[in-house]
Amino acid sequence: MNFDKEFDASGMSCPLPVVKTKKALVDMASGQVLKIISTDCGSVQDMKAFADQTGNTLLSSGEEGGKYIFFMQKK
Amino acid sequence: MSKKMAIIATKGTLDMAYPPFILASTAAALGYDVQIFFTFYGLQLLRKDLSDVKISPLANPAMPMPIPMPVMVQMLPGMETMATAMMKQKLEKHGVASLEELRDLCLECDVKFIACQMTVDLFEFDKKEFIDQVEYGGASMFFGFAGETDICLFV
C-alpha cells in the first residue's frame, strides 16, 4: 500500500504508539496515509480505537514477521 | 466540541505516577481536553527533577519481587533505592516511557496541569522547584472544569 510517511514504534509500549501516532499525523495533510509499525500487541486494539474516536481511517491492520503494521489515513 | 477529562493526582510514588500521565496523554491524543489537578503527594510529580520519585516494597505486598522478601528485609536502608532502580530497569526493558517523557508528551498535547495551592503552602514547597507550565488554584477552580467533563478520575 502507498503511504506518505512512516512511523516506527517498534519497542514502544502503551501509550506511546498511539500518542506518537497522533503526533506524527499533526503535520500531515487530510487524506494522506501514515504507515505505523509496532511490536506492542496492544496496538491492534488501540489503533482501531484511536481511529474510531478521532475520525481518522484505519485502512488496514496486519501482522508481518512479529510486527504489527497499520495504515492510517488522516481525516 | 471536544470531550473532556479531569484527573486528580494524589500520589507521588513511581508506580502511582504513571496512571495520570498515561491516561492524560492518551486522552489528549484522542482529542480530549484534559486537566490534571495535583494535590498532596501528587505535587511531587510536578518537580523539574523527578529522580526522587520512588517505589517502596514496604506495605506494597502486591509488588512482584524476583525473590520472596520478608518485611524485615524490606525495612533495611537502601531497599527503596534498590526497588526503584529495579523498577526503572524493568520499565525501560519493556519500552515503557519514562515519567519525564510522558509528562512532556502531556504538555505537548496541551494537557493543563494545576497544582493545589493549599497543599503547596501546607508542605511549604518552593514553586521554583516545579516546572514552569503549572497553574495554581483551588478546588473551586478545578470544579469549574471538572463539572463539565465526560470522565473524572481520582488517582
Side-chain angles (χ1 to χ4, degrees):
Chain A
M1 193 179 295
N2 290 330
F3 55 93
D4 302 284
K5 188 175 172 181
E6 183 177 304
F7 163 52
D8 189 351
S10 298
M12 294 180 192
S13 280
C14 171
L16 293 182
V18 161
V19 175
K20 294 199 168 180
T21 289
K22 162 75 180 176
K23 260 181 81 174
L25 285 167
V26 167
D27 60 1
M28 291 175 68
S30 177
Q32 284 192 316
V33 176
L34 175 69
K35 177 183 180 181
I36 306 144
I37 304 164
S38 172
T39 48
D40 171 23
C41 64
S43 295
V44 178
Q45 291 302 323
D46 282 347
M47 288 300 168
K48 188 179 175 299
F50 173 80
D52 287 346
Q53 291 175 70
T54 54
N56 297 296
T57 310
L58 184 59
L59 299 173
S60 89
S61 165
E63 194 188 340
E64 272 175 42
K67 294 202 172 193
Y68 302 94
I69 315 285
F70 308 93
F71 290 91
M72 187 83 70
Q73 185 172 39
K74 184 166 175 174
K75 180 169 69 166
Chain B
M1 214 171 77
S2 53
K3 287 191 171 186
K4 292 180 181 174
M5 177 170 82
I7 298 174
I8 305 161
T10 65
K11 313 285 197 299
T13 53
L14 181 63
D15 50 341
M16 296 308 284
Y18 271 91
F21 289 138
I22 288 177
L23 294 168
S25 57
T26 306
L30 293 173
Y32 281 73
D33 190 3
V34 185
Q35 285 195 12
I36 310 178
F37 185 73
F38 296 86
T39 184
F40 280 80
Y41 315 112
L43 289 171
Q44 303 286 5
L45 310 181
L46 294 174
R47 286 186 185 283
K48 286 176 187 154
D49 178 10
L50 290 175
S51 58
D52 282 338
V53 173
K54 290 180 177 163
I55 186 166
S56 174
L58 257 191
N60 197 358
M63 185 178 172
M65 297 296 258
I67 44 165
M69 198 166 287
V71 170
M72 287 295 282
V73 177
Q74 293 171 15
M75 289 166 64
L76 296 173
M79 288 307 291
E80 202 174 78
T81 306
M82 196 181 86
T84 302
M86 283 168 58
M87 181 60 117
K88 284 188 177 171
Q89 231 170 35
K90 208 174 173 60
L91 289 162
E92 200 182 329
K93 188 177 145 215
H94 288 268
V96 179
S98 66
L99 284 182
E100 288 85 350
E101 187 180 1
L102 281 173
R103 188 173 70 178
D104 286 346
L105 281 168
C106 285
L107 290 168
E108 276 177 45
C109 301
D110 296 323
V111 171
K112 200 159 154 186
F113 292 166
I114 298 164
C116 166
Q117 180 69 56
M118 183 277 278
T119 37
V120 169
D121 295 341
L122 177 70
F123 295 129
E124 296 173 6
F125 282 135
D126 184 350
K127 287 182 182 174
K128 285 202 288 290
E129 287 179 28
F130 293 145
I131 52 173
D132 300 332
Q133 297 89 337
V134 176
E135 286 180 40
Y136 296 85
S140 303
M141 175 184 171
F142 174 71
F143 279 121
F145 178 81
E148 294 175 350
T149 55
D150 300 275
I151 302 172
C152 190
L153 304 170
F154 183 90
V155 178

